[in-house]
Amino acid sequence: MVQPLAQVKDQIINQIKQQQASKLAYQEGQAKIAQLQSGKLQLDFGKAVDVTLLGQSKDISPQTVKQIFSVSLQKMPAYTGGINDKGAFVIYKINGENIDPKLSAQNLSLMDQFNQNNSMLDIGAYIAYLRTKYPVSYKLDRLSQAGQQQQPQ
């Protein structure tokens, strides 16, 4: 149902203002991250929190977790940021990387299964390729006759 412009005008204006504010916050946040990386800016960050790739945090969205794990860790500390669910730009400081040995063992098992599945796919693709290069015809009537001759009576 189409509503009159007078009824939705304020909602549209507020939505556009919020979009523009988020855009500006993102631009300013990226500039702050660049300053942090160059050492020109020092900020006080809150208490350090461990973040898992599974994104099981009530304070950090799954999208932000993906962003954190995509940051290059060549130079530490590393920084990233993004707009949170409240529309504010949040900067994250990455101090280091810890690998849980229990998860590493579990990952090895999963990687073995993954590699085995990939090998089967490779073999299937190779067989399909061979079938296109070398046509194979089956003479089913000969196979059935050979099978009948071998059956004991």
Side-chain angles (χ1 to χ4, degrees):
M1 182 167 118
V2 178
Q3 297 177 343
L5 180 60
Q7 288 181 349
V8 294
K9 178 182 173 185
D10 290 337
Q11 292 174 350
I12 293 171
I13 291 172
N14 288 336
Q15 188 176 16
I16 292 172
K17 283 181 182 179
Q18 189 171 5
Q19 287 174 347
Q20 291 297 321
S22 291
K23 185 177 178 181
L24 287 172
Y26 183 82
Q27 290 171 347
E28 287 182 29
Q30 291 299 323
K32 297 282 186 199
I33 289 173
Q35 290 175 344
L36 284 165
Q37 290 170 334
S38 67
K40 294 178 182 176
L41 178 66
Q42 295 293 321
L43 294 177
D44 291 327
F45 287 87
K47 180 182 171 194
V49 176
D50 289 336
V51 178
T52 67
L53 187 56
L54 301 176
Q56 300 168 334
S57 173
K58 60 184 175 187
D59 298 328
I60 302 173
S61 71
Q63 180 181 358
T64 304
V65 170
K66 286 181 186 179
Q67 186 175 349
I68 289 171
F69 277 89
S70 68
V71 172
S72 172
L73 300 179
Q74 297 289 331
K75 183 180 174 191
M76 296 300 255
Y79 300 94
T80 188
I83 304 290
N84 67 8
D85 57 349
K86 297 174 185 166
F89 191 87
V90 180
I91 298 175
Y92 297 95
K93 178 181 180 182
I94 303 166
N95 295 316
E97 175 183 33
N98 296 324
I99 300 173
D100 187 351
K102 291 181 266 180
L103 292 177
S104 292
Q106 183 181 6
N107 286 345
L108 287 176
S109 168
L110 290 173
M111 288 303 294
D112 285 343
Q113 290 177 3
F114 182 73
N115 289 334
Q116 187 176 19
N117 286 343
N118 279 345
S119 296
M120 295 302 291
L121 289 172
D122 288 344
I123 290 171
Y126 181 65
I127 290 172
Y129 168 75
L130 289 176
R131 285 184 178 151
T132 63
K133 288 296 241 180
Y134 306 103
V136 177
S137 61
Y138 298 98
K139 303 206 186 245
L140 295 177
D141 55 341
R142 286 188 185 172
L143 290 174
S144 64
Q145 287 174 0
Q148 290 174 357
Q149 291 175 356
Q150 292 178 356
Q151 290 180 355
Q153 296 183 7

